[in-house]
Amino acid sequence: MEELLNHPAVQAAVLPFAAALLVAGFLRHTRQLGLSVAAGFLCAVALTMGFGFESLTSVKKLVLVGIGAAAMGLVLEVATSQPGPAHRLLIVAAVSLGVLWVLQRILMQREAMTATVAGAAAVVYCLALLVGGERVSQDPISAAATVLVLGLVSGALALLGASAQLAQLGIALGAGAGAALLVQMLTGKRAPVGWTLGFAALVLAGLVGLLAVFTGSLPWYCLLPLPFVAWCAKLAPGLARPVWQRAVLTVSFGLVPAVIAVALAWFTAGEAAA
Amino acid sequence: MSTIYGRFDRMSGKVTLDSTAKTGTLEVKIEAASVTTGDAKHEPGSFAARAHGPRARDEHLRTADFFNIAEFPELVYKSTKFNFNGEAVDSIEGNLTLLGVTKPVKLTVTSFKCGPHPFNKKPMCGADAQGSIKRTDFGMKFGVPAISDEVKLMIGIEAYPE
């Protein structure tokens, strides 16, 4: 049993998916379906790195930011059904601070100008993911498909960037979103999903990709296609099609930029190591 | 399945020793990025790339899974006490700081010799020290237990008087 629990695929995909599916089953009629993604992610954290925070590394900060983002999403969801300018400003400020906090120690090792540019680029990248996420926030299928693809591709990129732990966290996000999508496909009904479904998951997917660049060997330009995942998912036709068909279409469309990103990482891996 | 031997190629430090007073100090700073295990690069299309992917083990060791060099570029060992057996140093007690976590680590000195250098005849001392740590104590949890938690340390020191 212990051997099974220590298997990377079980830690990153099987058990997080099962945990997310359980939560998604309970929350499928509520606007808090996004919590199933959080359940899958936290399951992976518990199995891979635990919740000890003796030394606050960037990966541990990522987990804390994810928990904070999930809590913030819940509060905002309860407070309002549509985000106003004040909410957007709050989100931008919180995400910017969160990203910079996660990267703080890494940026402090660099020269001021380099650190400023890198920090600003990291914030812009995460915000770009959120802007894309908002495009699909009104369609629960596209929203879950976007998180599914972004989670999996961030995990794949982290793996190609030589960090297996980050890869596990990214894949767990994808597994959680997959559970939220599967519940809708099985029931044939779109969930009354709120606009914050993807919020925490998108922030986390963004941070997984960023840490693969900053702490691993992933070239930064491999992340450039990822903000287009949501836009491509939105382009998928068949809004009135049955849920399962719509899910397959949105995931397929979202995979286009994801595949480009993975191909970039794969073909540049040998060069980066040189 | 087997033991992987790695080493750090760049380090600096200072050792002081007073055999009469039976005291000494040791401070070593190790550049984490200099870790090598003989697997530095997987050439595209090579057997290693096909079998294990495009990233080499040394690259993996530098990421957040292990030494996390972007955040923690140095490992530091500072002694707290030298233990002597007669004139020779028997063991060194001290603290190792790895990944931002400081834990006590005792090094057993397996060989200790002072005298003139065999070629240039300058006075010097040399020592071999061994110890072991549990990497999870320092928050390096990736891959345990498939990848061993226990890491054996083997340190060779040669020092000339200032």
Side-chain angles (χ1 to χ4, degrees):
Chain A
M1 183 64 178
E2 194 178 333
E3 194 177 335
L4 192 68
L5 287 176
N6 287 324
H7 194 286
V10 173
Q11 293 176 335
V14 177
L15 286 179
F17 178 78
L21 197 60
L22 192 70
V23 175
F26 281 113
L27 299 177
R28 66 186 186 277
H29 298 305
T30 74
R31 290 169 63 84
Q32 279 76 43
L33 180 63
L35 287 179
S36 58
V37 184
F41 179 77
L42 292 176
C43 179
V45 171
L47 290 168
T48 57
M49 54 192 280
F51 290 98
F53 295 97
E54 187 182 355
S55 174
L56 213 48
T57 64
S58 55
V59 179
K60 287 172 182 172
K61 286 180 179 177
L62 174 149
V63 173
L64 291 175
V65 166
I67 293 169
M72 187 177 169
L74 261 182
V75 170
L76 287 173
E77 191 68 59
V78 171
T80 178
S81 57
Q82 279 298 322
H87 299 117
R88 289 174 202 276
L89 198 64
L90 180 68
I91 288 171
V92 168
V95 170
S96 302
L97 284 174
V99 170
L100 292 175
W101 182 58
V102 169
L103 298 177
Q104 179 194 18
R105 203 191 320 244
I106 300 165
L107 295 176
M108 283 169 64
Q109 315 278 348
R110 303 184 176 196
E111 289 179 13
M113 182 55 76
T114 314
T116 306
V117 172
V123 168
V124 168
Y125 171 69
C126 263
L127 293 177
L129 288 184
L130 288 179
V131 169
E134 201 189 352
R135 297 296 100 192
V136 293
S137 63
Q138 297 309 311
D139 176 15
I141 305 297
S142 303
T146 297
V147 176
L148 166 66
V149 172
L150 276 174
L152 292 180
V153 74
S154 296
L157 290 177
L159 198 59
L160 290 169
S163 181
Q165 190 168 62
L166 287 169
Q168 287 184 300
L169 297 181
I171 291 166
L173 284 174
L181 196 59
L182 185 64
V183 162
Q184 297 178 77
M185 291 167 77
L186 290 176
T187 58
K189 291 177 184 170
R190 287 171 166 79
V193 78
W195 62 276
T196 56
L197 164 75
F199 175 59
L202 290 172
V203 171
L204 283 169
L207 287 172
V208 166
L210 287 170
L211 286 183
V213 171
F214 281 93
T215 67
S217 316
L218 184 70
W220 62 269
Y221 48 81
C222 295
L223 297 181
L224 291 181
L226 300 195
F228 297 101
V229 167
W231 296 86
C232 287
K234 189 174 172 61
L235 284 178
L239 202 57
R241 284 177 188 261
V243 169
W244 71 269
Q245 285 183 19
R246 174 75 181 152
V248 171
L249 279 170
T250 49
V251 169
S252 303
F253 272 65
L255 276 173
V256 174
V259 168
I260 293 170
V262 171
L264 272 174
W266 180 267
F267 289 113
T268 56
E271 293 167 26
Chain B
M1 303 299 270
S2 66
T3 303
I4 304 295
Y5 294 88
R7 57 181 256 174
F8 295 97
D9 289 338
R10 290 188 295 275
M11 64 182 78
S12 60
K14 189 174 182 178
V15 57
T16 63
L17 187 66
D18 186 338
S19 300
T20 314
K22 302 270 191 285
T23 59
T25 62
L26 171 68
E27 180 171 351
V28 183
K29 288 184 178 173
I30 301 163
E31 193 178 321
S34 70
V35 65
T36 55
T37 61
D39 185 27
K41 188 190 175 194
H42 290 177
E43 296 288 348
S46 65
F47 171 77
R50 288 198 303 276
H52 304 294
R55 299 294 180 190
R57 182 170 54 227
D58 292 355
E59 281 185 272
H60 193 190
L61 286 172
R62 293 183 188 111
T63 68
D65 290 355
F66 293 99
F67 288 101
N68 197 358
I69 64 160
E71 280 188 89
F72 303 100
E74 278 185 348
L75 292 75
V76 178
Y77 183 80
K78 278 186 186 174
S79 68
T80 52
K81 187 182 177 191
F82 274 42
N83 299 313
F84 285 77
N85 182 5
E87 291 291 307
V89 180
D90 183 51
S91 62
I92 302 169
E93 293 170 36
N95 293 309
L96 175 68
T97 302
L98 166 63
L99 299 177
V101 179
T102 302
K103 297 275 182 189
V105 172
K106 185 175 182 179
L107 301 173
T108 303
V109 177
T110 56
S111 167
F112 182 84
K113 191 176 178 184
C114 289
H117 186 282
F119 301 130
N120 64 24
K121 306 303 178 191
K122 290 180 182 173
M124 65 175 298
C125 286
D128 294 316
Q130 292 184 358
S132 71
I133 59 168
K134 282 189 183 294
R135 60 189 178 95
T136 51
D137 289 345
F138 296 87
M140 192 189 286
K141 294 182 179 172
F142 177 77
V144 172
I147 304 169
S148 175
D149 188 7
E150 186 184 10
V151 178
K152 289 181 180 166
L153 308 172
M154 289 182 279
I155 301 168
I157 302 166
E158 287 190 355
Y160 290 93
E162 277 185 338

